[in-house]
Structures are given as structure tokens and as C-alpha cells.
Amino acid sequence: MRRHEIGCLAAMFLVALLWTACSGYEGISDAGQDALDGQVGGDDGGGGCLEAYPGQVVINEIFLWPVGVAAPVACFIEIVNTSSEPLALEGWTLIDGDGHSAALDLPEGVSLQPGHPMALSLSDDAQSESWLSPGLVIDQFPVEARLFEMWAGEVMVDRVDLRTGLWPVVDGASLSLDPEHQSFMGNDDPDHWCQAEVSFAGSLQGSPGAVNPSCPTPVICVDPAEDCTDTVGDCLEPYCLPVEEGQGCGQQAADDPPTSDNPCLLGICNDVLPGFADRPDGSACDLVEPVLGSYCVEGGCLPPECGDDVRGPLEGCDDGGREDGDGCSADCELEGCGDGEFDEGEDCDDGRNGDDADGCRDDCRFSCIDSLVDCKDPTGDCALQVCAEGGLGQLCQAIQDLNDIPMDDGEPCTMERCSDLGLPEHAPLDDGAACDNGMGRVGDYCRNALCIDSVCGDRVVGPLEDCDDGNSDPCDACLPDCTARNNVCGDGLFCPEQEGCEDGNLADGDGCSASCELEHMLCPADMVHVPADALLDVPNAFCMDRYEASRPDATFLSMGHDLSRAVSQPNVIPWHYNPISIDSLGEFQLACEAAGKRLCGREEWYAACTGPERHDYCYGDFADWDKERCNCVDTHCDDVCEAWGLDPCDDASGCGYRMYYDGYASFYVMPTGYFSACVDSFGGFDMSGNVWEMVPSDVDPNLRGYEIRGGAFNCGGPMTRLQCNYNANWNSLYAGFRCCSDSL
């Protein structure tokens, strides 16, 4: 991977911005119609630009062989056409991953209409069933299948794998996909399916051949305190059920006892059954008409009475008598031991509090001999309980212990420690500290005590970032993809405040000197000089835009909206459309004319791309092919591997599409001049790759009035399609343009 050329974080950020306007599909199929260049109308047979595309047809209902059914007469899968055209499914197959396959060719005259579902029966016994019409029997496909892959030639159109995950499978009912998630990736998630509730074929449930009803809205349980109902006093508390149990609210035993109007009854939980028990005699309580010192006796609240053999809250003792000299005075006050004063003959005196584990027994003899045995020492309170003498005698007392750190709170962005005051705390880690939020991505880091996925642009330098200044200025030593890059003359990155020009080389005499100062030029600074080439029918020298044409308000992340004129500038998203037509060519011509230029001609474009060396690509020949030198479908594979922690990394030819089918954003338009080594012999950038370029042509074999040159970021077979002599013969692709003018 070349981090100075390819920024994995910018890649992920750019694809989100470039595809924001897509709608109608979900996940990978959201981009399926637009991002796969040449999916519609391509007839050259090359890899990656085919008529079919992921999500064009979606599997949206599956009826498995139900237990108790003698023959698999009701087994079927249902498919639906999400495109706007009827499909004959000629050459399409269904496979199960275990070597079984079935052709999906429809009978002559039958087609899968847009938006219409069609049931595919897995048994010819079902031909007489009314629910099958209209439909198709594919009885050679195994009814025990749990993997369903639908292929159109070399293109996987859809895939549902029931072997992994927790699917709502119920005997006698089909799996029904919620219409809201009818897409290539939408049907991968078991949560988007539900048990069918519509009856068919007698006692079975399903809707073969009909539009699926919406699935019931599941109970989403994120925080049981907010999302679940909790009845107070039922000895239960709500909790979020695990995924395998339905993701709803459940109940579990808890310390949630009932309450009573009787202050001397204590609510208790016997397992999960609520009940009541008498509070201990002598417990403080309040009468309906309050009397100071009232207490409980056998479950009732009574006013205080000295001598009833029950020690009330205001009594030091109560021995059932009213005599002095027996340790409990006639006024129910302690005499000697238990009076809370350290008297002669006592080891200690804690007021006979009933707790012999505090270092002093109720007989006023100390019990704190071995602090490890005799003292209660809570874990994680930054303190140690030791035997120590005090005003009441030798008792258990706490001293500071900075090694007694609190228990882990489970938060990945906190650090358990004892504060300078000796108090337990869960201190937040510094912003940018590495962490793991459990979502499977690498590069997670802490921000405001939360563990988040790596985000370029939040001004926090994460583990996978060289820098993060929170802006899109590529000339401040930190690129918008959070890659560190100091501006250097000759690197192809034009920084107007630091350089007079930038042509990607350190040569003099080409209009931009070796020190990046403007020279007397045959062409403006934003163009390159291309000499005449009689062999290529270019009789005169001319000037060509150094960069793919862009709009005046384009930025590193946006194509902009200003259509007034074409601009040749680095570090912005180029002006392009998908699909293109003769109207696109007319708009591009007007944009060049508004800039005082013209649209580059067919022969001019080819002469600049091949150079005097007659290169196969703008930068060299077949032997020099490098998938990371210019922006093509396979350029970013290793960046995807790094961002998602994929090991081993698939970076062989065709990896871009394979990763795309697996759900990873693996190819996207990049800013002009971003690939500093993708430069032709005259200093022009990106003539191979990024976006196709339209040129007017009177000899186009397709009689369109234009040709489409240079290859693009998203089309298969890049080693062929990025060649200077390749002319794309389809129009559903991403194409821009470049302007030319006469030499000065």
C-alpha cells in the first residue's frame, strides 16, 4: 500500500459523500445500479461491465421443507424484479454452494415484470397448486438447501445464506422479507425477515406470487430502563433479551420487593414471588399520628414504652424492668458497657451496636486482632481496613491504599485508579487513545470517553491517522484523508500560496521550472504543451488541460454546482455524469468555450495520452502496469484490508469487485491529480483511470458522434480499459472531459 498516494480513510469518506444521493436500494445494491460502470448496455463481454447487476432481482420469500409434511409440495423460493425492465432470466442459474444448480430460464413468452414477485417451486408436484401460477418449477434444486445464490453469467445478482445467523424459521410458514429491505444486502440480515402470517395451500402460511406484507415492528431493546415496562414491587426487573431470543424485553428475578402501608411490614422476594415479613422488634416506625420514638413490635407500630423488653430507637437498652444497677437503668439508659464511652475495664465501647465485626463486641471486648480476618475490607475503595486504637478503643479503621483500585467498569475508554485524595475513580482516557468498541473494525479510538470507529476530520489523531486537522485543505501538511504530506515541489500537489506552478516533475523548460516557478510558457499554467504529431493526424501543437475538467466551485469532496465554465485545477472532484449522451457532449463543449478553450479532439487526446513513446497507458507500457498508479477498480484493495482488518488480504486482479460483492466500499472517484505518478509524458494527470473522458468523433463505430476514452475507477478489466486506445461502447458509465486550446 502507498499511503502517500492512497488514503484509506479518505476513500471511505469519499464514497459516503459521492453516493449520498443514491436511493431506492440499500447497502451494496444502493450503488449497484450506479457504481458498477457499464452494467446496462455493455456488450463487449469484458469483466465487470455486464447487463446484470447485484440487486437487480432479489430473493424475498423462502418456504423450507416443513416438518410433518409428507412431500415437499409447498417448498418454494420467491424472487422479485427490482429493476424498471422486464427480465427473461435467460442464462440465469440458482446454486446452493454444494454443487447443485438449476436453470432459471422462463418459458417462452414469460418474463419477470418490474416490481412483480414470482414463486419458484422446488417440486414438480406443486404444478397443480393454484399458488404457483404464474411461476416456475425447478425440481432439480434440493429442498434441503440453506444457501441460495442467483447468478447471471459471471455476476452474482443475489445471495441468501440461512446457514449463519438466527433466522425466524417456523414449521409450516415461509420466511418473508420485509419490502422495506428488498435489496442485495437488505435480505442478508435475519432481522429483516419474519414469519409469514398469510394462509395458502390450506393450513400453510406464506404469500407465493404476491407482494409480501410488511413485517411487524420488532421491540428494540437498547436500554431496559427506557424501552421496557417495569412493574414496581413484583420481584422482577426487565432486561434486553439476547438476539437469539428475539431482541425484545424479558424479565428476570431482582431485588424489587413490594411495599406496604404498614411501616412494620418488610417487603421480601421469595425467588420471584413477592411477600411480606415483620420488621425486627424495635425498628423505628411512624404511627398515623406520629409519636417520637415509636417502634415495631410483632408487626405493629407502637408508641415508645420503657420496660417492655423491646429496645426502641430512643432507648439505650430495655431489659424488661425498671431498675437501676443491672446495666440498664430505670430510664432504659445503658450503664457502663454499651454507653458509648471508653470506661475502665473495657477494651472498647461502640454502644453495643450489634456488629461484632467492627472490631468491638457488644460485651465491650475488642475483636480486632487480625485485620485480614476480623475486619470487613471492601474491594476497590482505595482503602485498607486495619486494627487501630482510637477514642473508643481498638477498632477496625480505614487507611488509604492506592493499590486497591476500583473494579473495571467495562468501558473501553476509562482507566480505573485511585485519585490523589484516595478516592476510587474511573478516569477518561485521552482523546485518540486506542480502544476496541467490539464492532470488528481496526483503528478505534477514544473521544470524549467514548470508543468510536476511526473518523477522519474530528481533530482527534486516531491510531490509523497520521494527522487530523479537521479541514479539507490539502496544502497544510495534513491531507483531507488524515495522511501527513508536506508540500514538495514536483509532487503534483499544487499549493498556490507556496508555489507558482506544479506540473509533477522537476524539469525546466516545460512552463513550470524545477523550483516550481512559472516560466515563459507556450501554454497557460493550468495546461500542458503537446507538440504536433503528423503520424497521429495532429498537424499543430496545442495546449491541453493539465487536469480533468472540474466546476469552478468543486472541492476535494464535492463536484460542486456551478456549470458556468470548465476549470483545470488539482485536488477537486472532476465534472462527470452517469449515464452520458450527445447532450452531455454539448454541455462539455459549452463549458470549454466559456473558459476560452475547446473540447479536446479525438486525435489530440490520443496523442497526449500515448506521448511520443506511443505508450499503452498514459504513464508507460504493459510491462509497467501497476494497479495503484492510477485510480482503477483494484486500486484500493489493500486500503480496505487495513481499514477492516482483513487478513489475508485479497489484492489480486479483480479484488475490487470481490470486495464490493462482500459489502465493502472498494472503488470511488478521487480528486484530480491525487495520484501524482499517474501523469503522461507532457505533465497531464489522470488520462488513465478516475473517470472516462468524452471526445467528439466522426469515426465512432457506434455512430454516437463521440468516443469515451481512458478507463474509469469502477470498471472491470482495468488493464485493458485504461489503455489509451480503448473506446467504451456503452453509455451507462462515469464520464467527464478535458479542454484544449491552440498553443500560444
Side-chain angles (χ1 to χ4, degrees), residues 552-624:
D553 59 343
T555 68
F556 193 88
L557 302 175
S558 169
M559 186 164 58
H561 305 283
D562 185 353
L563 306 181
S564 63
R565 60 188 174 88
V567 178
S568 174
Q569 57 184 333
N571 312 321
V572 298
I573 300 300
W575 189 339
H576 62 277
Y577 289 123
N578 177 23
I580 49 92
S581 66
I582 193 67
D583 293 334
S584 308
L585 186 74
E587 178 180 316
F588 294 162
Q589 288 173 324
L590 291 175
C592 287
E593 291 172 4
K597 306 174 185 178
R598 65 172 186 276
L599 195 62
C600 294
R602 172 180 179 273
E603 291 78 13
E604 290 175 326
W605 193 95
Y606 184 72
C609 184
T610 60
E613 303 87 354
R614 298 296 187 261
H615 285 318
D616 297 308
Y617 310 105
C618 70
Y619 59 82
D621 298 321
F622 287 121
D624 305 313

Side-chain angles (χ1 to χ4, degrees), residues 381-590:
D381 63 353
C382 297
L384 177 66
Q385 294 288 331
V386 298
C387 297
E389 291 190 12
L392 298 179
Q394 183 167 293
L395 302 174
C396 293
Q397 299 185 38
I399 62 172
Q400 190 178 88
D401 180 9
L402 299 183
N403 293 319
D404 187 20
I405 61 175
M407 298 291 289
D408 190 345
D409 62 357
E411 296 295 333
C413 285
T414 60
M415 176 176 62
E416 286 64 39
R417 67 185 184 187
C418 297
S419 71
D420 294 339
L421 299 177
L423 300 176
E425 65 178 6
H426 303 279
L429 295 178
D430 293 339
D431 286 353
C435 59
D436 185 356
N437 61 16
M439 301 302 292
R441 296 284 298 273
V442 296
D444 303 340
Y445 58 83
C446 297
R447 188 179 70 188
N448 297 329
L450 296 176
C451 187
I452 64 172
D453 287 343
S454 185
V455 177
C456 179
D458 63 356
R459 298 182 182 273
V460 177
V461 180
L464 296 183
E465 297 174 331
D466 297 334
C467 56
D468 195 326
D469 57 9
N471 64 53
S472 59
D473 182 2
C475 295
D476 61 359
C478 186
L479 294 179
D481 66 354
C482 295
T483 302
R485 178 173 174 175
N486 291 315
N487 180 45
V488 177
C489 178
D491 64 359
L493 180 64
F494 180 49
C495 296
E497 295 184 0
Q498 305 169 33
E499 303 168 311
C501 58
E502 175 60 72
D503 58 2
N505 64 59
L506 296 176
D508 290 319
D510 59 0
C512 186
S513 72
S515 59
C516 290
E517 299 294 333
L518 288 172
E519 301 175 318
H520 175 70
M521 298 181 296
L522 298 174
C523 296
D526 62 348
M527 305 182 82
V528 298
H529 182 263
V530 182
D533 194 325
L535 293 178
L536 296 181
D537 199 19
V538 180
N540 300 307
F542 63 95
C543 300
M544 172 179 275
D545 278 352
R546 190 178 301 277
Y547 304 99
E548 297 163 307
S550 59
R551 295 172 178 171
D553 59 343
T555 68
F556 193 88
L557 302 175
S558 169
M559 186 164 58
H561 305 283
D562 185 353
L563 306 181
S564 63
R565 60 188 174 88
V567 178
S568 174
Q569 57 184 333
N571 312 321
V572 298
I573 300 300
W575 189 339
H576 62 277
Y577 289 123
N578 177 23
I580 49 92
S581 66
I582 193 67
D583 293 334
S584 308
L585 186 74
E587 178 180 316
F588 294 162
Q589 288 173 324
L590 291 175

Side-chain angles (χ1 to χ4, degrees), residues 24 106 128 173 188 198 305 313 360 365 371 501 539 545 601 670 672 737:
L106 297 179
S128 61
D188 291 343
V198 179
E305 181 179 352
C360 186
R365 295 288 179 253
S371 58
C501 58
D545 278 352
M670 293 294 286
T672 54
F737 63 104

